[in-house]
């Protein structure tokens, strides 16, 4: 992110008084809250976070080693803003929107400091295709033109905070983001670029209730605990339980049009993995490389904490910008706990009164403000768009009773509870089917009825019941062994195992199983239900559970996961099931 | 260089100095005692009136009469090729009786973060010869994979066995070991040194020793010195470097001590709230760089207080590292070496380093299937204790036996037994073939036909 000095006001130079890690104190500085300032001789970027008498307290986005009291501080008079315009897609940024690729060019393989780099290229020319007509009245949000950015069309809009006016000139051709493409009759000129303060939500006309699922291709998510487009979900879990893999699966396969992926205080290698993998993956629907719809933000755990705090805002602002164009955007934040910890660290350096577990008292407010920026909306120009937000939470010791998890659960509508017990036995995705929930089920029912099958909602409820029943039966089994159960319940145990092993388990690393469309999900569940129906009937006819478990076609069913064109094979297995069971029944 | 005699307060490892020239944050400070001894420290907080210095040694002998010199630069580490084969103190001074290191470069010990865009994706399989690692929790070059252990367990042997046997099959590139000890006993240190000498590993090792009776706060810089050295060897000299850090628990204790001295608001169990970030600044110094030859692979060792994996030290470590190898007391009691419990163990980079072109196409699925079998068999042990073996179904009986076989044949191996990945995977298939083939739901049929001992001959197919 590059900040241009505001010219209107004479910037007064302040002086550094104290440096203690990422928080510094300046005096003699005219400042307002959240102004962006330049700290020290190296002009490190910082932001005003507290004003106390003479003292202006600043969080610095870069390492402060070597900075001394007495060095200058200057105020840009602007707040922390993202640059929005063509060039965002396929980019990878740090928490304050500096492109990491540009930083490699400027300072090599390691992140040094004192280098500013704009979020967008100001040299690159983009072909602008006008849409607005001369004489037309344009308002905030009006789309005045288009740029074919990747395979995505980037719509150029009148900024939300600009006043309406009539178009006097609209250009066509190749321009940089700074060059004027539209002039209004009152003389105002608009380039393609917009700057938007990241801590302020971009306005919309209306927020609506979601009714369409975000299809993720992950059976346990779509099938049991769906998230809606424009919805919010949290995925808490101890280390190694599958937060990142699940988030990456969503980034890859969810049917959003734009994906913003924030690596907030997590591992460097995970971002590299996305960078190396995504360009080679194709969107199952459009066949286009996934990278072309993706914006990455990587502020890894060892990068400055203040920039980590900002990364979440930078990400959501970019997401809102694409939403305003009418796109369905999904945003993944991995991990919101690291963001909360950054807040805690800054807060403790400010010597603020700590709330629960040392987190600042405003933790809950910040979390809900963030998730509130999700939603299905009618944008200023009347187009529908959405931002879905999926936040990972990393509770210390895997204990969900801690403040970040608890405050998040109060806000989000979908809860995917990861479970170390499942991940340890390599049941992936390790999402606990008994504790998780989705509050969108009812709102989405209509969609499933229409788009998947009128049977879908019934079969889903059936599966949930079997799983619930199994949990109860397992308590008995733990005491007396499974042979002591009535035979019908032994069949239930077996059917539940099939639901878990065949339907719920899904290998993210298998080239076929990694993505499973709704039709296949439905077909798989139907096949399990068929088995269950046949098995219960056989049991009533006197067939023993051992015989039922030995049915050969049952052993074949899991293979369906790994077959792309599974239909013929599935039909064969279902037929075989029928044959085997009739044989058993007549023998009994 | 100006010398101040304005020390106003000394508390734990912190020295408060008044009325100085403007001093830089993070600057290296020398404190001169009356007898001329110099103690080193670093600026933690600086303002016009007061400078807070954290001393890396004991504060014994520091008084209001001691002199304070600000060096004007952050802490640097002299590095050079000659460091290989040398033994240094936890503060970086030679303690092997050899000459001072002639530096080729002086590097800042904090180490800047590798730009994620510049990182290369780790993908080279490292064969450690230990089945529970190679087979089920594979290590790759550039990974950070800690060993979580408990007091009195043989984690040192496991680390040494890895250091001794680690190789990238088919590669002859030069590699080095950087070993950093923090607060371990002299006896433990000797154990490592003897093994390094026995196997000739010392020649290509750099050893940093901060022992139990060395100053605790020195431990704050020991891993940073070690990693600075490792990065130099890797990214400037192109070597593949394996870094062993032991024991990170002692490092965290030192961190807690400093936090307490600064009167910070403590986090969980008294550890500082920034411990995640601090540990990340150590563990993230592993990896590869696009277009460059070398790599830094880290194996930090830590002992879990009370064997509790949810204790903040293993917990925060696990949140940063790319998996963990968990050494288990119960297996150790059963006399199984290496007592690695695969269930809570994990290697997150495994998938990048295995499969066709790396190890073998069946690797992932064999591993998954063994996990599933062992996990289920292990659960059944609890049930058997209550209802007895006879109440088990045939399926469960086989799983129970599988769990025993797994521990006795797959987990158990000799301290000098170096199994190839082929041997490990074939052993896996041998064990899996004791289960009915329908139960191998995680493996596709093609692989079963190709590798399963009962089917691969070609006569029968599933
Ligand atoms: N759907 C899945 N399919 C296959 N393997 C999975 C799946 N989900 C998780 N895993 C396995 O679990 C490991 C850990 O997952 P992941 O890295 O997502 O954990 P995490 O919850 O993000 O942990 P941390 O909090 O430490 O970042 C992965 O490396 C992978 O081996
Ligand atoms: Mg993760």
């Amino acid at each position: 992110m590059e900040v241009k000095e505001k010219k209107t006001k004479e910037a007064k130079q302040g002086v550094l008084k104290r440096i203690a890690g990422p928080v510094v104190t300046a005096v003699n500085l005219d400042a307002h809250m959240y102004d962006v300032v330049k700290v020290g001789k190296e002009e490190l970027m910082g932001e005003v976070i507290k004003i106390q008498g003479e003292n202006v307290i600043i969080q610095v986005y870069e390492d402060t080693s070597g900075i001394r009291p007495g060095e200058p501080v200057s105020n840009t008079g602007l707040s922390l803003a993202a640059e929005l315009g063509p060039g965002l897609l396929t980019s990878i940024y740090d928490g304050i929107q500096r492109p990491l690729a540009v930083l490699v060019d400027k300072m090599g393989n390691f992140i040094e400091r004192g280098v500013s780099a704009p979020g967008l290229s100001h040299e690159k020319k983009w072909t602008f295709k006008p849409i607005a007509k001369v004489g037309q009245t344009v308002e905030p949000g009006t789309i005045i033109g288009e740029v074919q950015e990747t395979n995505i069309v980037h719509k150029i809009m009148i900024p939300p905070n600009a006043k309406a006016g009539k178009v006097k000139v609209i250009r066509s051709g190749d321009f940089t983001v700074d060059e004027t493409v539209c002039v209004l009759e009152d003389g105002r000129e608009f380039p393609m670029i917009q700057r938007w303060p990241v801590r302020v939500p971009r306005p919309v006309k209306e927020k609506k209730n979601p009714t369409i699922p975000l299809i993720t291709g992950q059976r346990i998510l779509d099938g049991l605990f769906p998230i809606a487009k424009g919805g919010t979900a949290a995925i808490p879990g101890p280390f190694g339980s599958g937060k990142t893999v699940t988030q990456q699966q969503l980034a890859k396969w969810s049917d959003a049009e734009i994906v913003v992926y924030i690596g907030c205080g997590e591992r460097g290698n995970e971002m590299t993995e996305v960078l190396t993998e995504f360009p080679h993956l194709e969107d199952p629907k459009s066949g286009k490389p996934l990278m072309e719809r993706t914006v990455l933000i990587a502020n890894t755990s060892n990068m400055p904490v203040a920039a980590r705090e900002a990364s979440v805002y930078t990400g959501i602002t970019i997401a809102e910008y694409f939403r305003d164009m009418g796109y369905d955007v999904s945003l993944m934040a991995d991990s919101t706990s690291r963001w909360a910890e950054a807040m805690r660290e800054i807060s403790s350096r400010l010597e603020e009164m700590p709330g629960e577990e040392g987190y600042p008292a405003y933790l809950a407010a910040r979390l809900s403000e963030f998730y509130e920026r999700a939603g299905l909306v009618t944008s200023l120009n009347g187009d529908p768009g959405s931002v879905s937000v999926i936040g990972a939470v990393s509770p210390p010791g895997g204990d969900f009773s801690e403040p970040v998890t608890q405050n998040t659960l109060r806000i989000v509508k979908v809860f995917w509870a990861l479970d170390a017990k499942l991940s340890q036995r390599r049941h992936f995705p390790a999402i606990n089917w008994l504790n998780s929930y989705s509050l969108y089920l009812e709102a989405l029912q209509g969609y499933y009825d229409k788009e998947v099958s009128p049977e879908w909602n019934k079969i889903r409820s059936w599966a949930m019941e079997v799983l619930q029943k199994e949990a109860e039966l397992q308590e008995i089994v733990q005491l007396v062994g499974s042979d002591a159960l009535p035979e019908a319940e032994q069949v239930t145990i077996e059917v539940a195992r099939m639901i878990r092993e065949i339907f719920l388990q899904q290998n993210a690393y298998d080239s076929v199983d990694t993505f499973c469309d709704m039709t296949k999900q439905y077909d798989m569940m139907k096949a399990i239900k068929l088995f269950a129906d046949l098995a219960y009937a056989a049991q009533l006819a006197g067939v023993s559970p051992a015989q039922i478990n030995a049915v050969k076609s049952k052993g074949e069913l899991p293979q369906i996961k790994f077959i792309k064109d599974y239909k013929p094979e599935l039909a064969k297995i279902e037929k075989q099931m029928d044959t085997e069971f009739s044989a058993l029944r007549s023998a009994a | 260089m100006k010398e101040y005699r304005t020390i106003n307060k000394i508390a734990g490892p912190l020295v408060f100095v008044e009325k100085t020239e403007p001093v830089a944050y993070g600057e290296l400070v020398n404190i001169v005692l009356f007898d001329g001894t110099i103690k080193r420290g670093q600026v933690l907080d600086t303002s016009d009136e007061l400078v807070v210095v954290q001393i890396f040694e004991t504060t014994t002998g520091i008084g209001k009469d001691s002199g304070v010199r600000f060096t004007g630069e952050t802490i640097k580490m002299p590095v050079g090729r000659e460091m290989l084969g040398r033994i240094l103190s936890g503060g970086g001074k030679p303690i092997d009786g050899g000459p001072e290191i002639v530096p080729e470069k002086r590097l800042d010990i904090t180490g800047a973060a590798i730009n994620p865009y510049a990182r290369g994706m780790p993908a080279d399989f490292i064969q450690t010869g230990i089945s529970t690692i190679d087979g089920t929790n594979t290590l790759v070059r550039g990974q950070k994979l800690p060993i979580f252990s408990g007091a009195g367990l043989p984690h040192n042997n496991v680390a040494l066995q890895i250091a001794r046997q680690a190789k990238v099959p088919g590669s002859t590139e030069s590699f080095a070991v950087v070993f950093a000890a923090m607060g371990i006993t002299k006896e433990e240190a000797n154990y490592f040194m003897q093994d390094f000498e026995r196997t000739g590993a010392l020649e290509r090792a750099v050893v940093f020793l901060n022992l139990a009776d060395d100053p605790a706060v020195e431990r704050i810089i020991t891993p940073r010195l070690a990693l600075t050295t490792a990065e130099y060897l890797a990214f400037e000299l192109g070597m593949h470097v394996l870094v062993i850090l032991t024991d990170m628990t002692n490092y965290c204790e030192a961190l807690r001590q400093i936090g307490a001295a600064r009167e910070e608001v403590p986090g969980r169990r008294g550890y500082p709230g920034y411990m995640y970030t601090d540990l990340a600044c150590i563990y993230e110094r592993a990896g590869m760089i696009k277009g460059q030859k070398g790599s830094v692979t880290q194996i930090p060792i830590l002992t879990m207080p009370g064997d509790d994996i949810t204790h903040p030290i293993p917990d925060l470590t696990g949140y940063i590292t790319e998996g963990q190898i968990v050494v288990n007391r119960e297996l150790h009691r059963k006399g199984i070496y290496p007592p690695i419990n695969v269930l809570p163990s994990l290697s997150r980079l495994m998938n990048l380093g295995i499969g066709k072109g790396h190890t073998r196409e069946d690797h992932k699925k064999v591993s998954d299937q063994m996990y599933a079998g062992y996990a289920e068999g292990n659960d059944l042990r609890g049930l058997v204790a209550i209802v007895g073996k006879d109440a088990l179904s045939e399926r469960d009986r086989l799983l129970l036996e599988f769990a025993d076989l797994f521990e006795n044949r797959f987990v158990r191996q000799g301290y000098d037994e170096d199994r190839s990945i082929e041997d490990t995977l074939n052993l896996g298939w041998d064990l899996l073939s004791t289960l009915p083939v329908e139960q191998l739901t995680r493996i596709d049929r093609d692989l079963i036909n190709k590798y399963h001992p009962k089917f691969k001959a070609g006569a029968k197919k599933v």
Side-chain angles (χ1 to χ4, degrees), chain A residues 106-179:
Chain A
K106 286 198 175 181
M107 54 194 182
N109 295 327
F110 292 83
I111 297 188
E112 309 292 343
R113 61 177 190 197
V115 177
S116 75
L120 299 179
S121 163
H122 290 252
E123 286 85 47
K124 182 163 178 165
K125 297 221 176 207
W126 299 92
T127 306
F128 176 81
K129 222 174 81 201
I131 288 180
K133 302 272 178 301
V134 174
Q136 178 186 339
T137 304
V138 291
E139 296 175 332
T142 305
I143 294 167
I144 54 171
E146 287 180 350
V147 168
Q148 187 74 44
E149 186 176 350
T150 54
N151 67 71
I152 304 280
V153 175
H154 193 119
K155 317 234 166 101
I156 308 298
M157 300 169 289
I158 298 290
N161 51 357
K163 280 200 300 282
K166 267 198 174 143
V167 176
K168 184 170 151 208
V169 181
I170 181 101
R171 304 208 164 99
S172 167
D174 294 352
F175 303 99
T176 67
V177 292
D178 296 316
E179 287 171 316

Side-chain angles (χ1 to χ4, degrees), chain A residues 17-19 21 66-67 69 100 109 111 240 265 267-269 338 395 397 425-426 477 505 509-510 556 559, chain B residues 22-23 25 45-47 113 115 276 284 292 315 319-322 345 348 351 365 371 379 383 442 445:
Chain A
K17 186 174 151 194
R18 176 179 174 194
I19 301 109
I67 311 294
L100 291 176
N109 295 327
I111 297 188
R267 304 172 182 84
N269 277 335
R338 308 299 165 218
R425 62 192 53 211
R426 302 310 193 250
V477 171
Q505 282 182 14
Y509 299 100
D510 183 274
E556 308 279 316
Q559 299 292 334
Chain B
V23 170
Y25 175 73
D45 190 338
T46 169
S47 66
N115 185 324
Y276 174 81
E284 274 289 313
Q292 284 199 18
D315 190 50
Y319 271 124
I320 302 163
T321 53
E322 285 141 352
S345 300
R348 297 170 199 240
N351 294 307
K365 302 218 158 143
Y371 259 103
D379 282 350
L383 181 61
R442 312 240 179 167
R445 210 166 305 169

Side-chain angles (χ1 to χ4, degrees), chain A residues 239-245 266-267 428 506 508-509, chain B residues 318-319 348:
Chain A
F239 64 79
S241 54
K243 295 179 291 296
T244 305
V245 173
E266 292 286 316
R267 304 172 182 84
F428 288 122
Q506 188 172 0
Y509 299 100
Chain B
Y319 271 124
R348 297 170 199 240

Side-chain angles (χ1 to χ4, degrees), chain B residues 94-109:
Chain B
I95 50 168
D96 53 3
E100 285 287 315
I101 308 282
V102 182
E104 286 165 45
K105 260 194 165 163
R106 298 179 69 248
L107 300 175
D108 202 314
I109 69 161

